[in-house]
Amino acid sequence: MKKYFILFSIISGFSAHSQETVYPAPAQKGAVVITNATVHVGNGQVLNNASVAFENGKITAVGSNVTPAAGATVINAQGKQVYPGLIQSISNLGLVEVNSVRASNDAQELGELNPNIRSIVAYNTDSKVTNTLRGSGILLANIVPQGGLVAGRSSVVQLDAWNWEDAAYKMDAGLHVYLPLLMPRPSFIPAAANAPDPVKTGLEAIDRFRSFLGEAKAHFAVADKSGQTNLKFDAVKGLFDKSMKLFVHANTIKQILIAVDLAKDFGLDMVVVGGADSWRVADLLKQNNIPVILSQSHSLPILDDDDVDQPYKTPAQLQQAGVLFAISDEDGQTRGRNLPYNAGTAAAYGLSKEQALQAITLNAAKILGIADKTGSIEVGKDANIVIANGDLLDMRSSVVTDAFIQGRKIVLDDKQKQLYERYKHKYELK
C-alpha cells in the first residue's frame, strides 16, 4: 500500500506542476487591429502589408486601408504572417490522452451499431495534448468517436474552454462509419483453416448497416403516427434531412465504391475519410460531389506497387480533379501537431502553398459545415487567427507568436515548453 501511495503522490505532483497556469482566456474586450502583416486569407488570396481588425470576437475589417479605432489595441506584425486558425478535421483529442494507457482512452463504445454515441460529452478540455496543438496554429478540431461499424457522432470544438459545453463549436454534425477492410490483413502467421472469410463477414456487416438505414428511414415515415421513440433511429434522423453528414472511413477502392453507392441509394451527404485510394476514383467523387478528408499524408501507400510517394501526391491529384478535400493528421505519435507540415509536404508535391493552406482551413470548414463562421479571414467570421514568424507550413521556420480564438488571445504555453524551460534552468543553459 505504501508504494502505491508514493507512486500516486509522484504522479499527482507532476500533474500539478504542468500547465496549472494555462486557463481559457476571457471574452474579447475592445477592438484589436493587427497591422503591417502578410495576410493569408485562406481562400487563395494573399494580402501584403495589410491589416486585420476584430471586435467582440468577429472580424470587422481586412485590407490595406484599415484605420484603427480610438482605443483599439494595435499589434504591429511587421515581417510576420497572419493565417486563419488551422482546423484538425479528424481527431481523438480529448478522448485519448495516452494511446498506450487504456485507462485514458474513452474513444469507443462496445457494440457494432452506436449512432446514439456523442463524442462531445466525453471530450476532456483539460487534456495536456490540446495546448501542444495550439502552438502549431491549430485552433479547432473535429472530435471523432471510434470502434465498431457505426461509432457515433462527432462534434467540432474550439481549443480554449473550461468544459465541453464551452468548447462546442458545432455539435453532432457527423455520423462516423468504419467500413470493413474487405480483404485479408497482412500477417506472418498462416490463417486457421476454419477462419472466417474477411470479405464475406465484411459484406455482411455492410448489409446490416444498409438494413439499419432502411429501417431508420421507414421509422421516420410513421414515427409521428405511432409515437414510438428509438434512440438509435433518432440519432440518424439528420442524415435524411441533410442536417448531418455521413463520414465513411474508407481507404481502398472497394470501400470507396461501396461508400458512394450508400450515399446514392439513400440520398445522403457523405464524406470519405482516409481516402488513400481516392486519387484512383477522383472523377467519380467529383461527379457525385463527395469530399475527402485525407487522414494521414506522412505514410506509406497501401499497395506495394503504388509509388512510394503516392500519399504526398494525392492532394494535388484531387485538386486537379476538382474534388473538395481536406488534410488531417491522425498519427498516434504526433497527435495532430504535424497538421501544418502534412499540408507543407503536399505543397512540395504539386499543390501551391495557398492551396495547401486552404486544405487545413477553408476546405476543412466547408466539409465540417462551419465555413460560415471560420476557415478564412473575412469580415463577419469569427476571429480565429494565428500570427507566425516564418512559413506556418514549414517546420524549420514556423514559430507561432500569437493566436486568437473568437477574438480571445490565448496562452501558447504547454507542458513540453515548461519542461524545456525547467531543465534549461536546471543545467544553466542559455
Side-chain angles (χ1 to χ4, degrees), residues 44-98:
Q45 289 182 291
V46 180
L47 307 177
N48 295 312
N49 196 28
S51 300
V52 179
F54 50 96
E55 189 171 3
N56 298 322
K58 297 290 184 179
I59 298 172
T60 56
V62 183
S64 56
N65 297 316
V66 177
T67 303
T73 300
V74 178
I75 300 174
N76 186 358
Q78 181 73 43
K80 295 185 179 182
Q81 315 287 316
V82 173
Y83 299 89
L86 306 187
I87 303 171
Q88 182 70 281
S89 304
I90 299 293
S91 177
N92 61 13
L93 177 68
L95 304 182
V96 175
E97 190 68 8
V98 181

Short mmCIF file of all heavy atoms in Angstrom, two decimals, residues 44-98:
data_model
loop_
_atom_site.label_atom_id
_atom_site.label_comp_id
_atom_site.label_asym_id
_atom_site.label_seq_id
_atom_site.Cartn_x
_atom_site.Cartn_y
_atom_site.Cartn_z
N GLY A 44 -7.12 31.43 -50.89
CA GLY A 44 -6.20 31.54 -52.02
C GLY A 44 -5.58 32.91 -52.15
O GLY A 44 -4.57 33.06 -52.84
N GLN A 45 -6.14 33.90 -51.50
CA GLN A 45 -5.64 35.26 -51.58
C GLN A 45 -4.53 35.51 -50.56
O GLN A 45 -4.56 34.98 -49.45
CB GLN A 45 -6.76 36.28 -51.33
CG GLN A 45 -7.79 36.39 -52.43
CD GLN A 45 -8.82 37.47 -52.09
OE1 GLN A 45 -9.62 37.33 -51.17
NE2 GLN A 45 -8.77 38.57 -52.82
N VAL A 46 -3.58 36.37 -50.95
CA VAL A 46 -2.54 36.83 -50.04
C VAL A 46 -2.50 38.35 -50.12
O VAL A 46 -2.36 38.92 -51.21
CB VAL A 46 -1.16 36.25 -50.40
CG1 VAL A 46 -0.11 36.76 -49.42
CG2 VAL A 46 -1.19 34.72 -50.37
N LEU A 47 -2.63 39.02 -48.98
CA LEU A 47 -2.63 40.48 -48.92
C LEU A 47 -1.35 40.94 -48.27
O LEU A 47 -1.07 40.60 -47.12
CB LEU A 47 -3.84 40.97 -48.12
CG LEU A 47 -5.22 40.46 -48.55
CD1 LEU A 47 -6.30 40.98 -47.62
CD2 LEU A 47 -5.51 40.84 -49.99
N ASN A 48 -0.57 41.70 -49.00
CA ASN A 48 0.70 42.21 -48.47
C ASN A 48 0.51 43.54 -47.74
O ASN A 48 -0.32 44.36 -48.15
CB ASN A 48 1.71 42.39 -49.60
CG ASN A 48 2.09 41.06 -50.23
OD1 ASN A 48 2.39 40.10 -49.53
ND2 ASN A 48 2.05 40.99 -51.56
N ASN A 49 1.27 43.72 -46.67
CA ASN A 49 1.22 44.95 -45.87
C ASN A 49 -0.23 45.31 -45.54
O ASN A 49 -0.68 46.43 -45.72
CB ASN A 49 1.89 46.11 -46.61
CG ASN A 49 2.20 47.27 -45.69
OD1 ASN A 49 2.42 47.07 -44.49
ND2 ASN A 49 2.21 48.46 -46.24
N ALA A 50 -0.95 44.34 -45.02
CA ALA A 50 -2.38 44.51 -44.75
C ALA A 50 -2.65 44.48 -43.25
O ALA A 50 -1.78 44.18 -42.44
CB ALA A 50 -3.18 43.42 -45.45
N SER A 51 -3.89 44.81 -42.91
CA SER A 51 -4.33 44.83 -41.51
C SER A 51 -5.58 43.98 -41.34
O SER A 51 -6.36 43.81 -42.29
CB SER A 51 -4.61 46.26 -41.05
OG SER A 51 -3.46 47.08 -41.15
N VAL A 52 -5.76 43.48 -40.14
CA VAL A 52 -6.97 42.73 -39.78
C VAL A 52 -7.50 43.30 -38.48
O VAL A 52 -6.78 43.38 -37.48
CB VAL A 52 -6.68 41.22 -39.60
CG1 VAL A 52 -7.96 40.48 -39.21
CG2 VAL A 52 -6.07 40.63 -40.86
N ALA A 53 -8.77 43.73 -38.48
CA ALA A 53 -9.40 44.28 -37.28
C ALA A 53 -10.51 43.35 -36.81
O ALA A 53 -11.24 42.77 -37.64
CB ALA A 53 -9.96 45.67 -37.56
N PHE A 54 -10.63 43.18 -35.49
CA PHE A 54 -11.72 42.36 -34.97
C PHE A 54 -12.17 42.91 -33.61
O PHE A 54 -11.39 43.48 -32.86
CB PHE A 54 -11.34 40.89 -34.87
CG PHE A 54 -10.03 40.60 -34.18
CD1 PHE A 54 -9.99 40.26 -32.83
CD2 PHE A 54 -8.83 40.64 -34.87
CE1 PHE A 54 -8.80 39.97 -32.19
CE2 PHE A 54 -7.63 40.35 -34.25
CZ PHE A 54 -7.61 40.02 -32.90
N GLU A 55 -13.46 42.71 -33.36
CA GLU A 55 -14.07 43.22 -32.13
C GLU A 55 -15.23 42.31 -31.75
O GLU A 55 -15.94 41.79 -32.62
CB GLU A 55 -14.57 44.65 -32.33
CG GLU A 55 -15.02 45.34 -31.05
CD GLU A 55 -15.29 46.82 -31.25
OE1 GLU A 55 -15.19 47.29 -32.40
OE2 GLU A 55 -15.62 47.49 -30.25
N ASN A 56 -15.41 42.09 -30.45
CA ASN A 56 -16.45 41.19 -29.95
C ASN A 56 -16.37 39.81 -30.59
O ASN A 56 -17.39 39.17 -30.86
CB ASN A 56 -17.84 41.80 -30.18
CG ASN A 56 -18.03 43.10 -29.43
OD1 ASN A 56 -17.56 43.25 -28.30
ND2 ASN A 56 -18.70 44.06 -30.06
N GLY A 57 -15.14 39.36 -30.88
CA GLY A 57 -14.94 38.02 -31.41
C GLY A 57 -15.13 37.88 -32.89
O GLY A 57 -14.95 36.78 -33.44
N LYS A 58 -15.49 38.96 -33.59
CA LYS A 58 -15.76 38.89 -35.02
C LYS A 58 -14.80 39.79 -35.80
O LYS A 58 -14.42 40.87 -35.33
CB LYS A 58 -17.20 39.33 -35.33
CG LYS A 58 -18.27 38.45 -34.71
CD LYS A 58 -18.34 37.08 -35.37
CE LYS A 58 -19.49 36.25 -34.81
NZ LYS A 58 -19.58 34.93 -35.45
N ILE A 59 -14.44 39.36 -37.00
CA ILE A 59 -13.58 40.16 -37.88
C ILE A 59 -14.40 41.30 -38.46
O ILE A 59 -15.48 41.08 -39.04
CB ILE A 59 -12.99 39.29 -38.99
CG1 ILE A 59 -12.11 38.18 -38.39
CG2 ILE A 59 -12.17 40.14 -39.97
CD1 ILE A 59 -11.62 37.16 -39.39
N THR A 60 -13.91 42.51 -38.31
CA THR A 60 -14.66 43.69 -38.76
C THR A 60 -14.07 44.34 -40.01
O THR A 60 -14.76 45.08 -40.71
CB THR A 60 -14.73 44.74 -37.64
OG1 THR A 60 -13.39 45.07 -37.21
CG2 THR A 60 -15.51 44.19 -36.45
N ALA A 61 -12.78 44.11 -40.27
CA ALA A 61 -12.16 44.73 -41.44
C ALA A 61 -10.90 43.97 -41.82
O ALA A 61 -10.17 43.47 -40.96
CB ALA A 61 -11.83 46.20 -41.17
N VAL A 62 -10.65 43.88 -43.13
CA VAL A 62 -9.44 43.24 -43.66
C VAL A 62 -8.99 44.03 -44.87
O VAL A 62 -9.80 44.34 -45.75
CB VAL A 62 -9.70 41.77 -44.08
CG1 VAL A 62 -8.40 41.13 -44.56
CG2 VAL A 62 -10.30 40.97 -42.95
N GLY A 63 -7.71 44.38 -44.93
CA GLY A 63 -7.22 45.07 -46.10
C GLY A 63 -6.09 46.03 -45.79
O GLY A 63 -5.57 46.06 -44.66
N SER A 64 -5.75 46.83 -46.77
CA SER A 64 -4.62 47.75 -46.61
C SER A 64 -5.04 49.12 -46.14
O SER A 64 -4.19 49.96 -45.83
CB SER A 64 -3.87 47.86 -47.95
OG SER A 64 -4.77 48.28 -48.98
N ASN A 65 -6.35 49.39 -46.09
CA ASN A 65 -6.83 50.72 -45.70
C ASN A 65 -7.63 50.66 -44.41
O ASN A 65 -8.64 51.34 -44.27
CB ASN A 65 -7.69 51.32 -46.83
CG ASN A 65 -6.91 51.52 -48.11
OD1 ASN A 65 -5.77 51.99 -48.08
ND2 ASN A 65 -7.50 51.15 -49.24
N VAL A 66 -7.18 49.86 -43.47
CA VAL A 66 -7.88 49.73 -42.19
C VAL A 66 -7.30 50.74 -41.20
O VAL A 66 -6.10 50.72 -40.92
CB VAL A 66 -7.75 48.30 -41.63
CG1 VAL A 66 -8.41 48.20 -40.27
CG2 VAL A 66 -8.34 47.30 -42.60
N THR A 67 -8.15 51.61 -40.69
CA THR A 67 -7.73 52.62 -39.70
C THR A 67 -8.14 52.16 -38.31
O THR A 67 -9.33 51.95 -38.05
CB THR A 67 -8.38 53.98 -40.00
OG1 THR A 67 -8.04 54.39 -41.33
CG2 THR A 67 -7.92 55.02 -38.99
N PRO A 68 -7.17 51.97 -37.40
CA PRO A 68 -7.52 51.53 -36.04
C PRO A 68 -8.45 52.52 -35.36
O PRO A 68 -8.25 53.74 -35.43
CB PRO A 68 -6.17 51.47 -35.33
CG PRO A 68 -5.17 51.30 -36.44
CD PRO A 68 -5.72 52.07 -37.60
N ALA A 69 -9.49 52.00 -34.72
CA ALA A 69 -10.42 52.85 -33.98
C ALA A 69 -9.74 53.39 -32.73
O ALA A 69 -8.75 52.84 -32.24
CB ALA A 69 -11.67 52.05 -33.61
N ALA A 70 -10.26 54.47 -32.21
CA ALA A 70 -9.70 55.06 -30.99
C ALA A 70 -9.78 54.06 -29.85
O ALA A 70 -10.82 53.44 -29.61
CB ALA A 70 -10.49 56.33 -30.63
N GLY A 71 -8.67 53.86 -29.16
CA GLY A 71 -8.63 52.94 -28.04
C GLY A 71 -8.38 51.49 -28.42
O GLY A 71 -8.33 50.63 -27.53
N ALA A 72 -8.24 51.22 -29.69
CA ALA A 72 -8.02 49.83 -30.12
C ALA A 72 -6.61 49.37 -29.76
O ALA A 72 -5.66 50.16 -29.75
CB ALA A 72 -8.24 49.71 -31.62
N THR A 73 -6.47 48.11 -29.46
CA THR A 73 -5.16 47.51 -29.23
C THR A 73 -4.53 47.21 -30.58
O THR A 73 -5.12 46.51 -31.41
CB THR A 73 -5.27 46.20 -28.43
OG1 THR A 73 -5.87 46.49 -27.16
CG2 THR A 73 -3.91 45.56 -28.23
N VAL A 74 -3.34 47.76 -30.83
CA VAL A 74 -2.67 47.60 -32.12
C VAL A 74 -1.50 46.64 -31.96
O VAL A 74 -0.65 46.81 -31.08
CB VAL A 74 -2.18 48.96 -32.67
CG1 VAL A 74 -1.44 48.75 -33.99
CG2 VAL A 74 -3.36 49.91 -32.86
N ILE A 75 -1.48 45.61 -32.81
CA ILE A 75 -0.39 44.64 -32.83
C ILE A 75 0.38 44.83 -34.12
O ILE A 75 -0.15 44.60 -35.21
CB ILE A 75 -0.91 43.19 -32.74
CG1 ILE A 75 -1.70 42.99 -31.45
CG2 ILE A 75 0.23 42.19 -32.82
CD1 ILE A 75 -2.38 41.64 -31.35
N ASN A 76 1.62 45.30 -34.01
CA ASN A 76 2.44 45.51 -35.20
C ASN A 76 3.06 44.17 -35.62
O ASN A 76 3.92 43.63 -34.95
CB ASN A 76 3.54 46.53 -34.91
CG ASN A 76 4.34 46.89 -36.15
OD1 ASN A 76 4.11 46.35 -37.23
ND2 ASN A 76 5.28 47.81 -36.02
N ALA A 77 2.59 43.64 -36.75
CA ALA A 77 3.06 42.34 -37.24
C ALA A 77 4.00 42.52 -38.43
O ALA A 77 3.99 41.71 -39.36
CB ALA A 77 1.87 41.46 -37.61
N GLN A 78 4.78 43.57 -38.38
CA GLN A 78 5.75 43.82 -39.46
C GLN A 78 6.66 42.60 -39.64
O GLN A 78 7.26 42.11 -38.70
CB GLN A 78 6.60 45.04 -39.12
CG GLN A 78 7.64 45.41 -40.17
CD GLN A 78 6.99 46.03 -41.40
OE1 GLN A 78 6.10 46.86 -41.29
NE2 GLN A 78 7.44 45.62 -42.58
N GLY A 79 6.73 42.08 -40.86
CA GLY A 79 7.58 40.94 -41.15
C GLY A 79 6.98 39.59 -40.76
O GLY A 79 7.62 38.55 -40.94
N LYS A 80 5.76 39.59 -40.24
CA LYS A 80 5.12 38.35 -39.82
C LYS A 80 4.00 37.95 -40.78
O LYS A 80 3.55 38.73 -41.61
CB LYS A 80 4.57 38.50 -38.40
CG LYS A 80 5.64 38.71 -37.34
CD LYS A 80 5.04 38.73 -35.96
CE LYS A 80 6.12 38.90 -34.89
NZ LYS A 80 5.55 38.88 -33.51
N GLN A 81 3.56 36.70 -40.63
CA GLN A 81 2.50 36.14 -41.45
C GLN A 81 1.25 35.95 -40.59
O GLN A 81 1.35 35.48 -39.45
CB GLN A 81 2.92 34.79 -42.04
CG GLN A 81 4.33 34.76 -42.62
CD GLN A 81 4.43 35.49 -43.93
OE1 GLN A 81 3.58 35.36 -44.81
NE2 GLN A 81 5.49 36.28 -44.09
N VAL A 82 0.09 36.27 -41.14
CA VAL A 82 -1.18 36.08 -40.43
C VAL A 82 -2.01 35.05 -41.18
O VAL A 82 -2.19 35.15 -42.40
CB VAL A 82 -1.95 37.41 -40.31
CG1 VAL A 82 -3.34 37.18 -39.72
CG2 VAL A 82 -1.17 38.39 -39.44
N TYR A 83 -2.52 34.06 -40.45
CA TYR A 83 -3.27 32.96 -41.05
C TYR A 83 -4.60 32.75 -40.33
O TYR A 83 -4.74 33.11 -39.15
CB TYR A 83 -2.48 31.65 -40.92
CG TYR A 83 -1.14 31.62 -41.60
CD1 TYR A 83 0.01 32.02 -40.93
CD2 TYR A 83 -1.00 31.14 -42.90
CE1 TYR A 83 1.26 31.97 -41.53
CE2 TYR A 83 0.24 31.09 -43.52
CZ TYR A 83 1.37 31.51 -42.83
OH TYR A 83 2.60 31.45 -43.44
N PRO A 84 -5.57 32.12 -41.01
CA PRO A 84 -6.76 31.66 -40.28
C PRO A 84 -6.34 30.54 -39.32
O PRO A 84 -5.36 29.82 -39.58
CB PRO A 84 -7.68 31.11 -41.38
CG PRO A 84 -7.06 31.51 -42.68
CD PRO A 84 -5.61 31.75 -42.44
N GLY A 85 -7.07 30.35 -38.25
CA GLY A 85 -6.79 29.23 -37.36
C GLY A 85 -6.92 27.92 -38.09
O GLY A 85 -7.87 27.72 -38.87
N LEU A 86 -5.97 27.02 -37.88
CA LEU A 86 -6.00 25.73 -38.58
C LEU A 86 -7.06 24.82 -37.96
O LEU A 86 -7.37 24.93 -36.77
CB LEU A 86 -4.63 25.06 -38.51
CG LEU A 86 -3.43 25.89 -39.00
CD1 LEU A 86 -2.17 25.03 -39.03
CD2 LEU A 86 -3.70 26.50 -40.36
N ILE A 87 -7.57 23.91 -38.79
CA ILE A 87 -8.66 23.02 -38.36
C ILE A 87 -8.23 21.57 -38.53
O ILE A 87 -7.89 21.14 -39.64
CB ILE A 87 -9.94 23.29 -39.18
CG1 ILE A 87 -10.37 24.76 -39.05
CG2 ILE A 87 -11.06 22.35 -38.73
CD1 ILE A 87 -11.49 25.15 -39.99
N GLN A 88 -8.24 20.83 -37.44
CA GLN A 88 -7.96 19.39 -37.48
C GLN A 88 -9.28 18.67 -37.79
O GLN A 88 -10.19 18.62 -36.97
CB GLN A 88 -7.40 18.94 -36.14
CG GLN A 88 -7.03 17.48 -36.04
CD GLN A 88 -5.81 17.13 -36.86
OE1 GLN A 88 -5.92 16.96 -38.06
NE2 GLN A 88 -4.67 17.01 -36.23
N SER A 89 -9.39 18.12 -39.00
CA SER A 89 -10.67 17.59 -39.48
C SER A 89 -11.07 16.29 -38.80
O SER A 89 -12.27 15.99 -38.67
CB SER A 89 -10.60 17.35 -41.00
OG SER A 89 -10.25 18.53 -41.68
N ILE A 90 -10.09 15.49 -38.40
CA ILE A 90 -10.35 14.20 -37.75
C ILE A 90 -9.39 14.07 -36.57
O ILE A 90 -8.18 14.16 -36.75
CB ILE A 90 -10.11 13.02 -38.73
CG1 ILE A 90 -11.06 13.11 -39.93
CG2 ILE A 90 -10.29 11.69 -38.00
CD1 ILE A 90 -12.52 12.92 -39.59
N SER A 91 -9.94 13.87 -35.37
CA SER A 91 -9.07 13.81 -34.20
C SER A 91 -9.74 13.05 -33.06
O SER A 91 -10.97 13.06 -32.94
CB SER A 91 -8.73 15.23 -33.74
OG SER A 91 -7.94 15.21 -32.57
N ASN A 92 -8.93 12.40 -32.22
CA ASN A 92 -9.44 11.81 -30.98
C ASN A 92 -8.99 12.64 -29.78
O ASN A 92 -8.97 12.17 -28.65
CB ASN A 92 -9.00 10.35 -30.82
CG ASN A 92 -7.48 10.18 -30.77
OD1 ASN A 92 -6.73 11.16 -30.61
ND2 ASN A 92 -7.01 8.95 -30.89
N LEU A 93 -8.65 13.90 -30.04
CA LEU A 93 -8.23 14.83 -29.00
C LEU A 93 -9.28 14.89 -27.89
O LEU A 93 -10.48 15.02 -28.16
CB LEU A 93 -8.02 16.22 -29.60
CG LEU A 93 -7.64 17.33 -28.64
CD1 LEU A 93 -6.25 17.11 -28.09
CD2 LEU A 93 -7.72 18.69 -29.34
N GLY A 94 -8.85 14.83 -26.65
CA GLY A 94 -9.78 14.90 -25.53
C GLY A 94 -10.49 13.60 -25.23
O GLY A 94 -11.15 13.48 -24.19
N LEU A 95 -10.37 12.61 -26.12
CA LEU A 95 -10.93 11.29 -25.89
C LEU A 95 -9.84 10.30 -25.52
O LEU A 95 -10.08 9.34 -24.79
CB LEU A 95 -11.68 10.78 -27.13
CG LEU A 95 -12.80 11.67 -27.69
CD1 LEU A 95 -13.45 10.99 -28.89
CD2 LEU A 95 -13.83 11.99 -26.63
N VAL A 96 -8.64 10.53 -26.05
CA VAL A 96 -7.48 9.67 -25.77
C VAL A 96 -6.35 10.58 -25.29
O VAL A 96 -5.96 11.50 -25.99
CB VAL A 96 -7.03 8.89 -27.02
CG1 VAL A 96 -5.77 8.10 -26.72
CG2 VAL A 96 -8.15 7.97 -27.50
N GLU A 97 -5.83 10.28 -24.10
CA GLU A 97 -4.73 11.08 -23.58
C GLU A 97 -3.39 10.43 -23.91
O GLU A 97 -2.52 11.05 -24.51
CB GLU A 97 -4.88 11.25 -22.07
CG GLU A 97 -3.93 12.26 -21.47
CD GLU A 97 -4.22 13.69 -21.89
OE1 GLU A 97 -5.26 13.94 -22.53
OE2 GLU A 97 -3.40 14.58 -21.59
N VAL A 98 -3.23 9.16 -23.53
CA VAL A 98 -2.02 8.41 -23.85
C VAL A 98 -2.47 7.12 -24.54
O VAL A 98 -3.18 6.31 -23.94
CB VAL A 98 -1.21 8.08 -22.58
CG1 VAL A 98 0.06 7.32 -22.95
CG2 VAL A 98 -0.87 9.35 -21.82
#
